[in-house]
């Protein structure tokens, strides 16, 4: 998608699923997955889910993203599943759930995106 996705290692499985394999560069000084990596996974996951349903003349941008971290990981694969709650002419609301490949819940996200018509 872009150079940041490549650097982080995000992989888009489908419109609602984004994942990454935890690498040493994703680990913070405490020895666990950095929250910023999880945040990027959710933000890009939400953007991708919304991109699939936007109209050709619409641009979408993150307005607010709330992330509740409930667990962490030291390695393995993490999977973000995103669902669109609703999309109107001006706003979209989405939810994401981030789980470790072993099923543990790591984070829950709620996002608000602006839906802008016309040239971006």
């Amino acid at each position: 998608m872009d150079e940041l996705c490549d650097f982080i290692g995000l992989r888009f499985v489908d419109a609602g699923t984004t994942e990454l394999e935890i690498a040493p560069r994703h680990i913070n000084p405490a020895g666990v997955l950095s929250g910023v990596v999880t945040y990027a996974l959710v933000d890009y996951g939400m953007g991708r889910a919304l991109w699939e349903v936007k109209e050709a003349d619409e641009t979408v941008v993150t307005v607010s993203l709330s992330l509740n971290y409930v667990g962490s990981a030291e390695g393995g694969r993490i999977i973000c599943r995103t669902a669109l709650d609703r999309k109107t002419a001006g706003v979209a609301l989405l939810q994401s759930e981030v789980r470790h490949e072993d099923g543990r819940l790591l984070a829950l996200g709620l996002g608000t995106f602006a839906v802008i018509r016309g040239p971006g």
Side-chain angles (χ1 to χ4, degrees), residues 60-111:
V60 296
V61 295
T62 309
V63 172
S64 172
L65 200 156
S66 172
L67 202 55
N68 291 314
Y69 298 94
V70 297
S72 195
E74 298 170 356
R77 185 170 47 101
I78 59 172
I79 302 108
C80 176
R81 290 195 171 80
T82 298
L84 175 66
D85 286 331
R86 71 187 55 161
K87 176 181 170 285
T88 68
V91 69
L93 306 173
L94 300 100
Q95 295 182 53
S96 289
E97 191 176 273
V98 179
R99 290 190 178 270
H100 189 271
E101 64 185 335
D102 66 11
R104 287 180 294 127
L105 181 64
L106 302 180
L108 296 168
L110 295 173

Side-chain angles (χ1 to χ4, degrees), residues 10-83:
L10 300 182
R11 189 171 82 81
F12 298 99
V13 177
D14 57 41
T17 308
T18 308
E19 63 183 24
L20 73 82
E21 192 72 30
I22 298 172
R25 70 178 177 271
H26 300 132
I27 301 299
N28 68 21
V32 296
L33 178 66
S34 172
V36 73
V37 174
T38 305
Y39 186 94
L41 184 70
V42 172
D43 190 38
Y44 273 98
M46 287 181 175
R48 169 70 189 269
L50 190 51
W51 190 263
E52 294 294 319
V53 299
K54 76 174 194 66
E55 301 296 326
D57 66 339
E58 291 177 333
T59 299
V60 296
V61 295
T62 309
V63 172
S64 172
L65 200 156
S66 172
L67 202 55
N68 291 314
Y69 298 94
V70 297
S72 195
E74 298 170 356
R77 185 170 47 101
I78 59 172
I79 302 108
C80 176
R81 290 195 171 80
T82 298

